Amino acid sequence: MITFDEKTGLFHLKNSSMSYVMQVVRGKYLLHRYWGKAIREFRDGRAFQAIDRAFSPQPGDYENERTFSLDVLPQEYPAYGHLDYRTPAYEVRLADGTTTTELRYECYEIKKGKPSLAGLPAAYAEDHEAETLVIKLKDLAGKLAAELSYTIFAELPIVARNAKLTNIGGEALDLTGAASFALDFSDHDFDRLSLYGGHAAERSLERVRLMRGIQENSSRRGASSHQQSPFLALARKDAGENSGEVYGFSLVWSGEFSFKTEVEQFGTTRVVGGINPQGFCWHLEPKESFQTPEAWLAYSSEGLNGMSQARHHIVRGKHRDALRPILVNNWEATYFDFDDEKMDKLAETAKELGIELLVLDDGWFGKRKDDNSSLGDWQVNMSKLKKGLKGVAESAHKRGLKFGLWFEPEMVSEDSDLYRAHPDWALQAPAYPHTYSRHQLVLDLSRQEVRDYLVESVGKILGENPIDYVKWDFNRHITDAFSGKLPSERQGEVRTRFVLGLYEVLERLTQAFPEVLFESCSGGGGRFDAGMLYYMPQTWTSDDTDAVQRLSIQSGTSLVFPPITMGAHVSVVPNHQVGRVTSLQMRGLCAMMGDFGYELDITKFTEEERQEVKAQIELYKKIRPTLQLGSFRRLLTPFEGTKNETAWQFISRDGSQVVLMYFKTLAEPAAPIRLLKLAELDPEAEYELTEYLPAKRTSMDFGGEAALQLKGRSFYGDELMYSGLAVEKIDTDFAAYCWVFEKKNK
Ligand code: DGJ
């Protein structure tokens, strides 16, 4: 997969879908040459042209060669303020205040498989699944060295990159920026796609023209955030869901990040991504290194769906390929107002309905009765739960349900025993008052004693109680990132050390409790990133449980992450976030497109609702392996056209079952008949429609009884793909449909 040609200095990383080519030029400079669809051999048809570009500087060795400038050449890891004016990959401040360095090529190494990154989450691969190239660079003046790592996977259209920077000089230096990657494209004929949002409104797709100058998506919040996601794509203007070239970038990092694009004077584009350099300053004593997080560079010649198929090897452990349980969570059912009896009733009803996991959310510990107190005091509140956690767990277990529990370990309430004992454990700027958010403070996870406390206190609860699932929440962002434990020259490390500290805690806890299914959460999907997925196989996608909002939140999330990673629940109507009343069918089908559950008072269902919920659960159990472990594809997204329709298709791993979901948010007069064209079916196979749930008719419906008698009929794959399936027109808002096909003569 990786070759190096000594004569030309060309590195070629290649698999069946893409090529990534770099070149060592003049024995010194590591330049980028090509990334895109796989090519047999790179023979330099796009040779560099010798042009004298005014105001572009020459390296000292080439003073008289005015046509040679790194300012106009595509680079792999460019420096700041020396030979290139474009956005740098890294920045340093040497002991004497100099910010100049010049990294030159030294040597390379090719390894089988993919090495892990100490202390950081990263994709993994067996030796036969990937190859890794490490290119070593050394500063001309002997101050800094860099190791750039590139892994190419046999089966994935992805290059995973990271950089390690080492102080090789005799004096300390400060790294004031260290991106995970930089990449230059020879043109800027792209649209720029990013995911933006807010609390309860995560990951809407923004597609704009890539503009000249610098455009940035970033988080400065100490977390990957609801507001922007650590993801960026450059798509050719004609690229859509199913065709066209798309270059996707994402980070395996849960802290603040930055993705910059810069279209410069000659129309080329640079992309730089990694830890947000603002406020970042990592002090390196001689011989010390800094390891950047990993970045994934995904190439698709088959549109956005092609990019989304690029499944990363990131989720680990026994739950990776295991079906996720159907849960009921008491948060929107009771908020803080619960006791043993209420939980027991939820468990009883859950059992009757076919639910498999009972989750006790916030409020079970300390003296917490609202969100003002007790974070940090991870001891059960016996006045609420008279039989303790064991009692609630037992009420679930004796009915054959699993039991799950909520924590928010990275936080502390001022009103808590933990804060009273260790006020200095909270991040705070010494001479300033605290900054509050949800009345809480953030613990200083750069401190070992804080990390140990979290592992011990959470570990004690997990060790002493039969707990099958943990929801790990994070309900505010970081401000005043000052640690009482670090010297002043290391305060610029606190935000990064916080995340590294979190990773240490998660590694210790998830290794100690491998049976527990962990779900990450940050006020919904405020930390939905690949870093968290390395430790926790699923994430609560959003605090917005309204089915209409969820269609866009889940569609946006699906650009980067598969459905099995997205927690999705049916909640009550009117919806608690937006007050909307949608059908139970729409709420059910929408939630089935993620890790399915209910989050409402299930003891209050009417008999009709009970029957419908039972039927939903029964259907879900039949199609769950396909929805969770199969392949999926967006046929229609709420970001396009009238923004009124969403359709997702799922195919089981063995190709024998196909599930199609379609949603139309608002009914329209004079609407065209919607044809859904499926994809990736076997054109010659017959598929029988074994389940068909059309939207529920209303009295206003003029279509007559079951206009399309589809159930039981069979269609060849080619007809479903090329001619398509007509959606039965039903005049109602919030219409949701589901079709299940089984392949005949499998
Ligand atoms: C935010 C989460 O996203 C909710 O689901 C719930 O767990 C609350 N926190 C509890 O405080």
Side-chain angles (χ1 to χ4, degrees):
M1 285 183 268
I2 301 178
T3 56
F4 180 61
D5 182 338
E6 295 279 352
K7 238 176 37 228
T8 57
L10 283 165
F11 290 102
H12 191 161
L13 288 68
K14 182 163 76 161
N15 61 23
S16 57
S17 39
M18 67 175 199
S19 285
Y20 188 103
V21 182
M22 293 171 275
Q23 187 171 26
V24 180
V25 170
R26 303 189 181 208
K28 300 187 181 97
Y29 303 113
L30 181 66
L31 303 184
H32 180 75
R33 300 309 314 273
Y34 170 73
W35 178 34
K37 210 170 170 116
I39 51 179
R40 210 170 306 270
E41 195 180 321
F42 183 81
R43 293 194 178 163
D44 213 2
R46 48 160 68 182
F48 296 130
Q49 305 203 9
I51 301 172
D52 178 356
R53 303 286 199 186
F55 291 89
S56 286
Q58 278 72 55
D61 295 358
Y62 304 100
E63 183 191 345
N64 296 321
E65 201 179 333
R66 288 173 47 165
T67 56
F68 183 73
S69 172
L70 289 186
D71 191 38
V72 299
L73 291 170
Q75 301 204 53
E76 282 293 321
Y77 206 68
Y80 166 72
H82 184 44
L83 295 167
D84 182 347
Y85 293 110
R86 294 166 290 179
T87 304
Y90 72 98
E91 294 181 55
V92 290
R93 197 168 48 233
L94 302 177
D96 63 359
T98 321
T99 53
T100 295
T101 48
E102 185 177 326
L103 290 174
R104 290 185 170 183
Y105 175 78
E106 277 278 300
C107 58
Y108 75 96
E109 200 183 333
I110 296 173
K111 306 173 184 173
K112 291 221 164 314
K114 181 173 188 301
S116 55
L117 291 185
L120 280 165
Y124 51 86
E126 301 288 331
D127 279 1
H128 64 278
E129 291 174 323
E131 267 178 28
T132 299
L133 165 69
V134 179
I135 298 180
K136 298 188 179 169
L137 309 172
K138 196 173 151 199
D139 173 46
L140 178 59
K143 308 286 186 196
L144 188 73
E147 288 183 18
L148 306 183
S149 169
Y150 301 79
T151 299
I152 182 154
F153 299 85
E155 303 293 342
L156 298 173
I158 290 181
V159 172
R161 284 186 58 176
N162 70 73
K164 184 174 164 191
L165 296 157
T166 304
N167 179 353
I168 54 168
E171 292 169 292
L173 60 82
D174 288 325
L175 266 183
T176 52
S180 297
F181 74 95
L183 191 95
D184 286 334
F185 291 92
S186 56
D187 69 303
H188 65 283
D189 190 21
F190 290 109
D191 284 342
R192 189 180 193 284
L193 280 67
S194 60
L195 295 168
Y196 71 96
H199 172 242
E202 297 87 338
R203 289 174 292 285
S204 277
L205 178 63
E206 171 123 290
R207 181 170 182 154
V208 294
R209 194 161 62 86
L210 177 63
M211 295 195 329
R212 285 192 184 266
I214 296 171
Q215 287 173 278
E216 182 181 17
N217 295 82
S218 64
S219 159
R220 271 181 239 111
R221 295 170 166 271
S224 49
S225 90
H226 311 81
Q227 288 72 12
Q228 296 279 334
S229 289
F231 160 79
L232 174 82
L234 295 182
R236 291 294 175 194
K237 300 216 161 93
D238 62 351
E241 280 291 359
N242 297 313
S243 63
E245 280 195 304
V246 181
Y247 295 86
F249 304 88
S250 47
L251 290 177
V252 190
W253 180 241
S254 311
E256 45 198 51
F257 68 89
S258 157
F259 276 110
K260 285 192 185 125
T261 51
E262 179 173 357
V263 178
E264 50 78 84
Q265 55 184 335
F266 305 111
T268 73
T269 304
R270 174 167 291 170
V271 184
V272 177
I275 292 177
N276 195 329
Q278 181 158 21
F280 171 90
C281 182
W282 195 279
H283 186 74
L284 289 181
E285 290 291 332
K287 298 199 175 55
E288 282 183 350
S289 298
F290 179 75
Q291 173 64 60
T292 73
E294 178 164 291
W296 292 335
L297 283 60
Y299 170 75
S300 163
S301 55
E302 288 165 13
L304 295 170
N305 267 313
M307 177 188 71
S308 305
Q309 303 312 314
R311 295 279 177 98
H312 326 292
H313 298 196
I314 193 74
V315 173
R316 300 174 296 168
K318 65 170 277 205
H319 299 287
R320 186 183 75 171
D321 297 318
L323 294 178
R324 309 292 163 77
I326 305 170
L327 64 79
V328 60
N329 178 306
N330 76 312
W331 179 242
E332 286 200 21
T334 66
Y335 294 104
F336 291 103
D337 185 17
F338 61 83
D339 55 17
D340 305 88
E341 212 181 307
K342 182 72 207 171
M343 292 308 294
D344 193 56
K345 284 206 179 107
L346 285 177
E348 186 183 20
T349 313
K351 178 66 191 167
E352 289 161 11
L353 295 171
I355 289 170
E356 300 158 333
L357 162 67
L358 173 74
V359 179
L360 174 56
D361 210 279
D362 192 356
W364 57 266
F365 50 92
K367 54 168 186 159
R368 191 151 162 106
K369 56 179 180 358
D370 52 31
D371 56 16
N372 285 313
S373 81
S374 304
L375 292 170
D377 297 345
W378 301 109
Q379 296 91 32
V380 65
N381 179 343
M382 295 297 283
S383 63
K384 260 187 182 175
L385 300 172
K386 306 246 163 4
K387 295 183 214 140
L389 286 172
K390 281 207 178 75
V392 200
E394 165 65 8
S395 120
H397 285 157
K398 75 175 185 221
R399 296 182 165 101
L401 303 178
K402 293 180 186 304
F403 174 63
L405 193 63
W406 180 96
F407 289 91
E408 193 178 1
E410 298 151 80
M411 300 291 164
V412 63
S413 306
E414 222 169 14
D415 182 5
S416 68
D417 293 343
L418 183 68
Y419 183 79
R420 283 182 281 274
H422 301 286
D424 56 324
W425 281 14
L427 290 172
Q428 54 202 324
Y432 297 85
H434 282 315
T435 311
Y436 299 93
S437 183
R438 211 193 191 203
H439 315 284
Q440 61 199 51
L441 306 172
V442 185
L443 286 171
D444 179 0
L445 267 64
S446 73
R447 295 169 77 132
Q448 188 63 53
E449 63 274 32
V450 174
R451 302 198 290 274
D452 291 345
Y453 172 76
L454 298 192
V455 174
E456 277 153 30
S457 56
V458 175
K460 186 163 189 290
I461 296 279
L462 297 185
E464 290 176 357
N465 297 281
I467 292 168
D468 308 292
Y469 158 107
V470 163
K471 177 175 172 189
W472 183 291
D473 211 341
F474 179 79
N475 281 305
R476 68 157 287 181
H477 289 146
I478 292 178
T479 52
D480 312 310
F482 180 90
S483 169
K485 255 300 178 60
L486 290 170
S488 64
E489 71 273 18
R490 292 208 177 267
Q491 292 300 330
E493 300 173 13
V494 174
R495 289 159 179 274
T496 306
R497 284 185 184 271
F498 177 87
V499 182
L500 296 175
L502 170 64
Y503 290 155
E504 182 201 299
V505 169
L506 296 182
E507 182 69 14
R508 287 164 67 187
L509 279 170
T510 53
Q511 294 305 319
F513 299 96
E515 302 297 317
V516 174
L517 171 62
F518 282 83
E519 176 162 311
S520 159
C521 173
S522 169
R527 216 163 41 181
F528 205 136
D529 58 64
M532 294 307 284
L533 285 174
Y534 184 71
Y535 305 98
M536 308 197 181
Q538 56 190 61
T539 301
W540 177 224
T541 315
S542 178
D543 271 353
D544 193 336
T545 54
D546 167 59
V548 174
Q549 292 301 313
R550 274 302 184 114
L551 290 176
S552 86
I553 294 168
Q554 293 173 202
S555 292
T557 307
S558 80
L559 281 173
V560 196
F561 299 110
I564 192 172
T565 60
M566 296 182 216
H569 303 166
V570 174
S571 63
V572 77
V573 288
N575 173 267
H576 287 186
Q577 292 78 39
V578 296
R580 187 175 285 127
V581 178
T582 53
S583 65
L584 186 49
Q585 178 154 316
M586 178 176 199
R587 284 174 280 149
L589 292 179
C590 178
M592 285 185 207
M593 301 201 299
D595 296 322
F596 187 48
Y598 291 83
E599 188 165 331
L600 72 173
D601 191 344
I602 54 176
T603 64
K604 295 206 174 120
F605 281 144
T606 62
E607 189 46 34
E608 197 186 334
E609 286 169 334
R610 262 175 84 84
Q611 292 316 322
E612 188 169 346
V613 165
K614 274 187 166 177
Q616 282 182 348
I617 290 173
E618 216 172 289
L619 171 68
Y620 185 66
K621 286 180 180 169
K622 274 194 226 153
I623 58 179
R624 172 166 47 182
T626 302
L627 298 178
Q628 294 194 348
L629 304 175
S631 66
F632 94 100
R633 181 170 269 275
R634 294 172 300 275
L635 300 184
L636 295 169
T637 77
F639 307 118
E640 284 172 345
T642 58
K643 303 190 185 328
N644 199 20
E645 294 171 287
T646 304
W648 282 21
Q649 171 204 293
F650 302 80
I651 304 183
S652 61
R653 278 190 178 168
D654 65 0
S656 67
Q657 190 180 63
V658 181
V659 179
L660 178 62
M661 304 273 195
Y662 170 79
F663 304 85
K664 182 160 179 177
T665 305
L666 295 181
E668 298 171 282
I673 298 298
R674 165 56 70 192
L675 280 181
L676 292 174
K677 294 188 178 171
L678 282 76
E680 291 174 281
L681 304 187
D682 176 351
E684 288 168 21
E686 266 188 285
Y687 293 85
E688 181 181 343
L689 185 65
T690 54
E691 295 286 347
Y692 173 48
L693 259 82
K696 294 239 161 78
R697 291 172 175 278
T698 65
S699 53
M700 294 304 293
D701 221 296
F702 303 117
E705 263 310 293
L708 302 179
Q709 290 293 351
L710 289 177
K711 195 165 165 184
R713 291 179 59 192
S714 300
F715 304 87
Y716 279 104
D718 52 7
E719 181 182 346
L720 292 172
M721 290 193 289
Y722 313 139
S723 167
L725 192 70
V727 178
E728 186 174 349
K729 181 175 176 301
I730 290 173
D731 298 307
T732 180
D733 286 347
F734 314 126
Y737 300 69
C738 173
W739 297 257
V740 181
F741 293 94
E742 303 286 343
K743 197 171 178 180
K744 287 170 92 170
N745 315 316
K746 298 169 192 170

